[in-house]
Structure formats: C-alpha cells, structure tokens
Amino acid sequence: LLHVPCINIPVSKGPKGLPVGLQAVGRMDDDARMLSASNWIFNNLSKLDLRQFPSLEAPGPSIKAVTDMTLRVNGQRSD
C-alpha cells in the first residue's frame, strides 16, 4: 500500500500489562536499514518498564475525532 518498509516492534507492556508497540516506517527500497534500525529499537526499548507510567492509560482522541480533524484540515466535511 505505501511501498515503503514498515515494521511493528513490540517494545514493552503498559500499566495494565497490555503490549505496547512502536511502528517504524522507512524510506522506499531501504529495507535492510529499516531492519537494522528496528533491531536496535527492539534491543534498546524492550528493556523499558512502561507500567510505571499510569498516564498511558488516559484515552486518546476517538477515531471519529481524528477523522473529523483530518477532514477539516483538508477542507472537507465529515457529514
């Protein structure tokens, strides 16, 4: 779909023990570098214990709110 390398990296567990991941997106045709960077990210960030940050439990904006905001920025309506 994007024609660029994308990878989801499991990083840690959140305050309720649920997995937390990071999605990394690289440049087109730069797969080897993306895999190398993802390996570094995993090896360094997977040591974090995110359970100490209860603010991660706060809900973010709803999908509808994000969609509406995106449409407004692009001069469209969400009706």
Side-chain angles (χ1 to χ4, degrees):
L1 186 66
L2 294 176
H3 303 286
V4 295
C6 302
I7 190 164
N8 189 22
I9 308 159
V11 175
S12 186
K13 293 193 185 262
K16 293 186 177 182
L18 296 173
V20 175
L22 176 109
Q23 181 154 10
V25 181
R27 293 180 178 161
M28 187 179 285
D29 297 323
D30 208 0
D31 299 37
R33 190 163 150 190
M34 185 69 203
L35 287 171
S36 177
S38 299
N39 188 46
W40 183 91
I41 291 168
F42 177 76
N43 288 332
N44 288 279
L45 295 185
S46 63
K47 300 170 190 168
L48 295 176
D49 183 7
L50 298 178
R51 291 175 289 179
Q52 62 185 323
F53 300 105
S55 63
L56 290 175
E57 294 181 24
S62 69
I63 291 175
K64 179 167 178 14
V66 171
T67 302
D68 289 348
M69 180 180 62
T70 303
L71 291 173
R72 279 194 305 274
V73 168
N74 291 325
Q76 301 172 11
R77 295 182 54 154
S78 61
D79 300 341

